[in-house]
Amino acid sequence: TLTNAHVVEKNSTVQMKFQNGTILNGVVLGTDEGRDLALIFNGNQKPPPVFFGKSDTSLLKEGAEVYALGFPLIYTSTITLTKGIISATRQETRYGSLIQTDATIHPGNSGGPLVNNKGEVVGINNSVVVAQGGVSIIGGTGIGFAIPIQTAIELIPSLSQYGQNRIELYPVGSSQTINKSLKMQIEYNEQLGCAQLNLNPIDSITCNLYRNYRNDYAWKVIDDTH
């Protein structure tokens, strides 16, 4: 499950209540506070899936019809839906490049989906900037923003494997070390995933980096085979 980092805050576990009354306990796998994204593991619980739309600027155009869903303010007995358009496909904010919409996004809508007129998720409701006064006075009468769903999709592997954005934890282009025995084990068992090699946590992280992002780093091989 994807939501905002500011929704889960610093919690390692969260409780999720769905529209049909189902309550699930989830584990926060990782957060990226810079992009305001969090990834939650539902265990063996499988809520109904959603369909992802396209959020790249070549397909998502200004004027496209969108709907924001969520549980605004203190009114949590039922989900709400507001209708609007894409005001700008990208606006640079402190959370990066976001979709701007005039579909009303109240405090409490955070983490909910922004969907197109086909019901496909194109963004994750993120924030609202009010014209004047405070949020407690004006509420959602401002400019609404949503994280493009493509941004979220691209961060899922990093959040699930490393607990945070890989670019922040292991900066791309930096030097990484790998034991020769581990390198040989990975290359010899090319058909197996890192999770199937029964590695310790540190070697598992190194394995994922080496196997999936090998060309992103400068690797130093340490001979530990003696």
Side-chain angles (χ1 to χ4, degrees):
T1 298
L2 284 164
T3 188
N4 291 144
H6 78 261
V7 170
V8 303
E9 296 180 329
K10 299 297 183 182
N11 295 300
S12 58
T13 59
V14 294
Q15 190 177 76
M16 298 178 288
K17 183 177 180 179
F18 292 84
Q19 179 68 7
N20 62 4
T22 301
I23 296 177
L24 302 181
N25 292 315
V27 176
V28 179
L29 286 179
T31 59
D32 184 336
E33 294 182 2
R35 293 297 185 96
D36 197 24
L37 279 168
L39 184 67
I40 300 168
F41 178 57
N42 302 329
N44 61 357
Q45 304 295 320
K46 296 181 180 180
V50 297
F51 293 96
F52 290 151
K54 302 293 185 180
S55 62
D56 55 278
T57 55
S58 63
L59 296 173
L60 191 67
K61 301 292 186 181
E62 289 88 350
E65 196 173 80
V66 288
Y67 301 83
L69 293 89
F71 293 87
L73 304 174
I74 61 173
Y75 304 103
T76 59
S77 60
T78 182
I79 197 168
T80 66
L81 179 147
T82 57
K83 179 181 178 180
I85 64 169
I86 298 295
S87 306
T89 55
R90 293 294 186 273
Q91 291 283 27
E92 294 303 320
T93 73
R94 65 190 179 99
Y95 294 115
S97 183
L98 302 181
I99 298 169
Q100 180 186 332
T101 178
D102 69 348
T104 304
I105 297 176
H106 294 277
N109 282 109
S110 294
L114 184 73
V115 304
N116 60 22
N117 57 11
K118 298 178 181 178
E120 300 168 333
V121 179
V122 295
I124 299 173
N125 301 331
N126 161 263
S127 59
V128 59
V129 176
V130 297
Q132 58 185 358
V135 172
S136 60
I137 299 172
I138 296 182
T141 58
I143 302 173
F145 294 103
I147 303 163
I149 196 61
Q150 194 59 42
T151 298
I153 291 171
E154 290 171 357
L155 284 173
I156 287 175
S158 294
L159 293 178
S160 62
Q161 290 179 23
Y162 310 117
Q164 58 181 288
N165 188 342
R166 177 179 62 96
I167 295 174
E168 297 174 355
L169 191 61
Y170 301 99
V172 173
S174 62
S175 297
Q176 302 293 333
T177 59
I178 185 170
N179 288 332
K180 185 177 181 179
S181 60
L182 177 60
K183 180 175 180 291
M184 293 170 63
Q185 187 178 6
I186 294 170
E187 293 174 350
Y188 181 76
N189 297 286
E190 190 173 349
Q191 75 282 9
L192 299 178
C194 293
Q196 298 173 292
L197 297 179
N198 296 318
L199 304 172
N200 64 51
I202 298 299
D203 283 348
S204 180
I205 290 175
T206 303
C207 176
N208 278 307
L209 285 174
Y210 187 78
R211 173 158 284 167
N212 301 314
Y213 308 103
R214 185 178 310 179
N215 296 330
D216 291 349
Y217 301 97
W219 291 94
K220 179 182 178 182
V221 180
I222 298 175
D223 192 348
D224 65 330
T225 58
H226 298 300

